[in-house]
Structure formats: structure tokens, C-alpha cells
């Protein structure tokens, strides 16, 4: 079977063709983080906005760059609907670049006045925030190395250096749009860039910081779509739908959402043409998503692993899975700000999405990096509520998941930037309440660690979870 590419574009069935001819799209946006989520989310919205091509930059992986270049940057998105999966080619990515190998081209695009949008999809740990969330972790080895390097390697370092270069050359305004699962992601990213610039203290820093305030927008956003790892079944679905072989296909659930703060300083794609919401304040949507979707997702990952499940769908088909999602959302709902989605209706949507038989979302994947996710998703609701038995159960699931196995790695196969420190909390076999307190201190919650009612309630859940029982 021939491979997808521009030469075969006219052979695609009409329903599977890109919304716009990629050969006619000028490159006007940069994206940092050339992963599956971007290709199944922002790239789709941008394509339907019309007139915008994306230069997508991979910070590390050369494989994804090679795969896209071999197909003239064309790829398909397989929509895993419960009834029948489908596939359509997306053509909004006009260049696939590697941050180091293509550094000259990246710099040229960063400074070009025509480039007025920079979007990002990177992991929580790639932000290198302090454990307490208060700014950039200047002691992180990667950040410390960047501050003395002419060629930074971290996302924050590269972005700060690129914006500084833009300031020194064209000075054209630009929108920097974070699409990461962090509360107030735009403001957080703006703060990290400022922290980096101040710490680097290059010549002209004061003028650069003043320019950031007036010429660079950091709107906050909420992004949502479950994008599981691509499988051979997805590639087979794409081949049947396209009549061509696609080595860069990605998969996603039918549901997708993008909410953006309407605060821009430069031209941007009309993302609202494809259903994106432009609002004055994204916080109600953001907090709802972080606490209900991401919060329940993390809880299901840890509790489901303790119960012997491997995917979210398996958890939803246990006797307790759906009940937990609904009860968790009801418990957290009083902590949500006004103006967002209805919590009960949101819970209904979550149950439908999590039950989707076509989406095999691995608990191991969702449960990884939890030392960064738990503070964002659970701890503020725990602080706000007098009693929170579902959150306590979720926290117990996380505590149980940090237990080191025989190889000193987490028992459920997850990964975490603090895996060694998490394992060390167990080494002298402390009493369970003290164990809970140690772990809470490690993730920046000393106030919760001092609440003996909380640490005792969480500790009481651990024996049942150790036996594979989820009880509430």
C-alpha cells in the first residue's frame, strides 16, 4: 500500500481529505511539543480556522519528525467512536522540526513577524516549577545548566531565549498559548519565563521584561480530549479509510474541547470556527476540568491499579467504578467556582467517555508523574472541605501506588520524577499515618501533613487497597 503524502492527496476519499489544502497554508504558528495530543487537538482546530500553517517542533524525539517528514507532514486522526471508528487526514502542520537539529530555522520562525502564535503542549515536569508551585525551580539541574548556556535545552529556557531574540530583532507582538493541564497555565508560564529571564540576567533584561508586559500575551486555556497511544488497530483503521498507509496516525475519542481566555496581543486563528470557546475568564472551566476530569482520572488510575485493572474502561465496568466517578464529582462540586459547566452533567459526560469501549487508556500512563498531578488536582479541594471521604480514598490509592516493589520501582509500573524520594518514605516502615504525612510533605503540602484527622483517615484505607479492595 502506498504511503500518505502530498503526491497521493488527490487519491483520498472526499470525506477523509484535509479541511484546507496544505500546499496553500503559510506557516504562521509555532508549536512546542510535537506529540499526539497536539496533532489530535490544536492542529485540528487550527486547520478548521483556515489560513494557518503550523511549524511543529519536537524538543527531543527525532522519530516523530522523520515520520511526519516522510509524509510531507500529513497524518490522520482516527476517531475512536463506540459505534464505528473513522479517520481523516489533517494538513495544518506545514513543517516538522527538531529543536536542536533545526535550531536555525526555529530561530528564524521565532523572530518572524508573520509568526504571531506560539502554542505549547508539554508535561507538568517539563515546566520545572518549584514543589510549592511558586515559580521556577532555579535549583533544578536542567534549569541551572540552561542559565549558563547559549543554547538552552529546557522548554522554559528555549521559550525565554526565543522571545528575547524576538524582542532584540523584530519586536513584533506574539501570543504564547499554553495548552497544558496546569491551573492558570497562561499566568504560570508567563511567570516562569520572567523568573528565567531575571535569573539569567542577560544584557537588556529590564527592557525585555517591559516588552513582555506589553507585546506578549499569555492567555490561559483549557484543553480536553483523551488521546490514547496509537495501536496497530488504529493504523489498520486509517489504512482502510484512506486507502493509503499512514505511519504517523494518532487516535482520539470523539469528545474534544478548547476554552481560551480572550486576551491576545497579535493575530490568531479563528479557532471558534471549530467550536473553541473564547471567554473572559477560563478559571471556572479550568478548575472544573482539573478537579472533576483530571481528578477522577488520577483517582481511577490508582484505585483501579490496586484492584488489578489495567485501563479506565475496565475500572468503569467494575461494581464501583461508575459510582465512584459520580460520588467523587458530587463531593468536589462545592469547591468549584461559579460560571463553569454543571457538575452533574459533567459527571454524566465523564461516565460516557470513560466507558467508551474504543478507548483503551492505560492506568499506568495516567498514574505516572503523580507527584506533580496530585497537588494540582486534589489538595485544594481537600483543604476546602471538612470531610472528603472520596478524596481521602483517592489519596490512599496514590499512597499505595508509591510503595516500592522488589526492584525498588513503583509497584504498578508507573514512573515519577520523585520516584526515589517517594520510595524512601517507605524504607523504615513508618506507621501508616506518618507515611501519609511524609508523602504529603514531599509534594509540597506540609499543612495537610499536620492534619492528623486526614492522615489517619487515609491510612485506614490502605489495608483494604493492599488486598485489592476498593471500599466506599
Amino acid at each position: 500500500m502506498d504511503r500518505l503524502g502530498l503526491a497521493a492527496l488527490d487519491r483520498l476519499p472526499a470525506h477523509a481529505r484535509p479541511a484546507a489544502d496544505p500546499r496553500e497554508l503559510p506557516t504562521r504558528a509555532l508549536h512546542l511539543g510535537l506529540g499526539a495530543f497536539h496533532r489530535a487537538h490544536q492542529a485540528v482546530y487550527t486547520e478548521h480556522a483556515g489560513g494557518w500553517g503550523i511549524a511543529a517542533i519536537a524538543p527531543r524525539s527525532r522519530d516523530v519528525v522523520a515520520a511526519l517528514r516522510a509524509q510531507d507532514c500529513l497524518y490522520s486522526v482516527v476517531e475512536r467512536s463506540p459505534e464505528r471508528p473513522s479517520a481523516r487526514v489533517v494538513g495544518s502542520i506545514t513543517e516538522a522540526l527538531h529543536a536542536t537539529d533545526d535550531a536555525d530555522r526555529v530561530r528564524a520562525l521565532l523572530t518572524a513577524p508573520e509568526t504571531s502564535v506560539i502554542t505549547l503542549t508539554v508535561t507538568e515536569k517539563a515546566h520545572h516549577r518549584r514543589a510549592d508551585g511558586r515559580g521556577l525551580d532555579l535549583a533544578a539541574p536542567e534549569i541551572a545548566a540552561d542559565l549558563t548556556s547559549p543554547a538552552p535545552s529546557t522548554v522554559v529556557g528555549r521559550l525565554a531565549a526565543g522571545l528575547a531574540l524576538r524582542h532584540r530583532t523584530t519586536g513584533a507582538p506574539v501570543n504564547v498559548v499554553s495548552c497544558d493541564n496546569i491551573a492558570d497555565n497562561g499566568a504560570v508560564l508567563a511567570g516562569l519565563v520572567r523568573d528565567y529571564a531575571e535569573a539569567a540576567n542577560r544584557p537588556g533584561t529590564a527592557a525585555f521584561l517591559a516588552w513582555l508586559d506589553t507585546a506578549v500575551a499569555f492567555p490561559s486555556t483549557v484543553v480536553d480530549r483523551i488521546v490514547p497511544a496509537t495501536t496497530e488497530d488504529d493504523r489498520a483503521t486509517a489504512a482502510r479509510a484512506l486507502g493509503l498507509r499512514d505511519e504517523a496516525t494518532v487516535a482520539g475519542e470523539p469528545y474534544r474541547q478548547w476554552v481560551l481566555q480572550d486576551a491576545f496581543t497579535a493575530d490568531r486563528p479563528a479557532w471558534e470556527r471549530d467550536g473553541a470557546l473564547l471567554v473572559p475568564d477560563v478559571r471556572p472551566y479550568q478548575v472544573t476540568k482539573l478537579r472533576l476530569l483530571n481528578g477522577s482520572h488520577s483517582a481511577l488510575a490508582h484505585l483501579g491499579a490496586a484492584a488489578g485493572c489495567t485501563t479506565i474502561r475496565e475500572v468503569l465496568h467494575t461494581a464501583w467504578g461508575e459510582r465512584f466517578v459520580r460520588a467523587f464529582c458530587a463531593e468536589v462540586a462545592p469547591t468549584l467556582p461559579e460560571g463553569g459547566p454543571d457538575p452533574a452533567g459533567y459527571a454524566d459526560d465523564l461516565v460516557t467517555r470513560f466507558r467508551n469501549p474504543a478507548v483503551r487508556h492505560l492506568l499506568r500512563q495516567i498514574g505516572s508523574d503523580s507527584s506533580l498531578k496530585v497537588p494540582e488536582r486534589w489538595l485544594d479541594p481537600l483543604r476546602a472541605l471538612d470531610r472528603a471521604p472520596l478524596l481521602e480514598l483517592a489519596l490512599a490509592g496514590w499512597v499505595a501506588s508509591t510503595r516500592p516493589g522488589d526492584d525498588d520501582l513503583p509497584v504498578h509500573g508507573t514512573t515519577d520524577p520523585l520516584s526515589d524520594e517517594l520510595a524512601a518514605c517507605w524504607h523504615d516502615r513508618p506507621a501508616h499515618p506518618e507515611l501519609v504525612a511524609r508523602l504529603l510533605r514531599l509534594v509540597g503540602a506540609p499543612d495537610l501533613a499536620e492534619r492528623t484527622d486526614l492522615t489517619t483517615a487515609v491510612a485506614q484505607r490502605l489495608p483494604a487497597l493492599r488486598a485489592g479492595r476498593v471500599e466506599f
Side-chain angles (χ1 to χ4, degrees):
M1 184 176 286
D2 291 341
R3 190 166 180 175
L4 177 64
L6 288 175
L9 199 58
D10 295 338
R11 292 163 49 190
L12 290 170
H15 66 272
R17 292 181 182 177
D21 190 331
R23 293 165 291 201
E24 299 175 359
L25 292 178
T27 299
R28 302 177 64 193
L30 279 183
H31 181 78
L32 304 179
L34 184 48
F37 185 81
H38 168 68
R39 287 182 280 150
H41 191 273
Q42 298 95 42
V44 176
Y45 283 95
T46 301
E47 179 182 55
H48 287 283
W52 289 75
I54 303 167
I57 303 164
R60 290 183 176 81
S61 173
R62 291 175 173 83
D63 291 342
V64 66
V65 173
L68 283 169
R69 285 178 174 175
Q71 299 181 173
D72 303 313
C73 295
L74 297 176
Y75 66 95
S76 61
V77 177
V78 172
E79 185 173 284
R80 292 193 193 174
S81 65
E83 297 80 22
R84 184 180 179 183
S86 60
R88 188 183 67 79
V89 173
V90 175
S92 56
I93 295 181
T94 49
E95 298 182 51
L97 304 171
H98 185 269
T100 302
D101 299 348
D102 303 301
D104 289 344
R105 176 58 178 161
V106 172
R107 280 192 290 270
L109 289 167
L110 276 168
T111 57
E114 298 79 15
T115 304
S116 58
V117 170
I118 301 170
T119 55
L120 299 89
T121 49
V122 297
T123 62
E124 285 95 337
K125 63 184 175 184
H127 287 79
H128 293 288
R129 296 170 75 192
R130 286 171 42 179
D132 60 8
R134 297 175 182 171
L136 187 65
D137 184 0
L138 298 175
E142 300 89 345
I143 294 295
D146 271 9
L147 289 171
T148 59
S149 171
S153 62
T154 65
V155 171
V156 173
R158 282 176 169 145
L159 180 60
L163 290 173
L165 179 62
R166 187 180 183 96
H167 168 244
R168 294 194 303 270
T169 53
T170 62
V174 65
N175 307 304
V176 179
V177 185
S178 171
C179 302
D180 302 313
N181 285 324
I182 293 176
D184 300 319
N185 52 15
V188 167
L189 184 60
L192 296 177
V193 169
R194 292 187 70 89
D195 288 350
Y196 184 93
E198 290 171 352
N201 197 25
R202 306 277 197 264
T205 293
F208 170 57
L209 294 176
W211 177 77
L212 278 180
D213 289 336
T214 58
V216 184
F218 289 88
S220 288
T221 69
V222 181
V223 297
D224 193 1
R225 189 178 200 181
I226 295 174
V227 179
T230 303
T231 66
E232 288 304 318
D233 285 345
D234 295 323
R235 294 186 182 92
T237 296
R240 287 192 298 270
L242 310 181
L244 296 166
R245 180 168 52 91
D246 181 4
E247 298 294 339
T249 192
V250 295
E253 65 170 333
Y255 180 94
R256 56 185 168 94
Q257 181 191 55
W258 198 4
V259 185
L260 300 102
Q261 180 186 7
D262 195 2
F264 298 89
T265 58
D267 196 12
R268 63 162 180 85
W271 290 307
E272 59 270 34
R273 290 181 185 171
D274 197 34
L277 299 178
L278 277 292
V279 298
D281 181 10
V282 303
R283 187 172 183 273
Y285 295 89
Q286 194 167 56
V287 174
T288 298
K289 191 223 171 186
L290 278 169
R291 295 186 183 175
L292 299 192
L293 168 62
N294 300 131
S296 66
H297 225 198
S298 288
L300 293 177
H302 298 301
L303 297 174
C309 301
T310 58
T311 68
I312 287 290
R313 181 174 177 267
E314 286 179 34
V315 177
L316 263 289
H317 283 78
T318 64
W320 56 270
E322 179 176 338
R323 284 194 301 118
F324 179 87
V325 173
R326 295 188 186 280
F328 181 94
C329 291
E331 179 174 283
V332 175
T335 74
L336 302 177
E338 295 182 359
D342 169 60
Y346 199 91
D348 290 339
D349 287 342
L350 289 182
V351 168
T352 299
R353 296 170 66 188
F354 291 167
R355 278 188 173 276
N356 186 344
V359 176
R360 190 173 184 271
H361 211 169
L362 296 174
L363 303 184
R364 183 178 66 250
Q365 175 189 358
I366 302 163
S368 289
D369 297 339
S370 284
S371 67
L372 301 173
K373 296 173 181 176
V374 164
E376 287 277 346
R377 302 175 183 189
W378 298 345
L379 300 191
D380 280 343
L382 277 168
R383 293 182 176 105
L385 298 167
D386 292 332
R387 276 302 310 278
L390 278 300
L391 278 164
E392 291 164 4
L393 176 59
L395 194 59
W398 171 67
V399 169
S401 75
T402 65
R403 178 171 58 87
D406 295 337
D407 53 5
D408 260 359
L409 297 175
V411 288
H412 301 310
T414 57
T415 60
D416 196 286
L418 294 180
S419 57
D420 291 342
E421 293 89 340
L422 294 168
C425 292
W426 291 79
H427 280 168
D428 58 354
R429 299 190 178 184
H432 281 166
E434 174 55 26
L435 169 67
V436 176
R438 289 182 184 182
L439 291 166
L440 285 170
R441 292 187 196 102
L442 189 59
V443 296
D447 58 324
L448 294 177
E450 296 302 317
R451 279 182 44 184
T452 55
D453 61 324
L454 174 63
T455 57
T456 300
V458 172
Q460 289 172 345
R461 309 277 193 170
L462 294 174
L465 291 175
R466 186 75 179 268
R469 300 194 309 274
V470 177
E471 300 172 345
F472 61 97

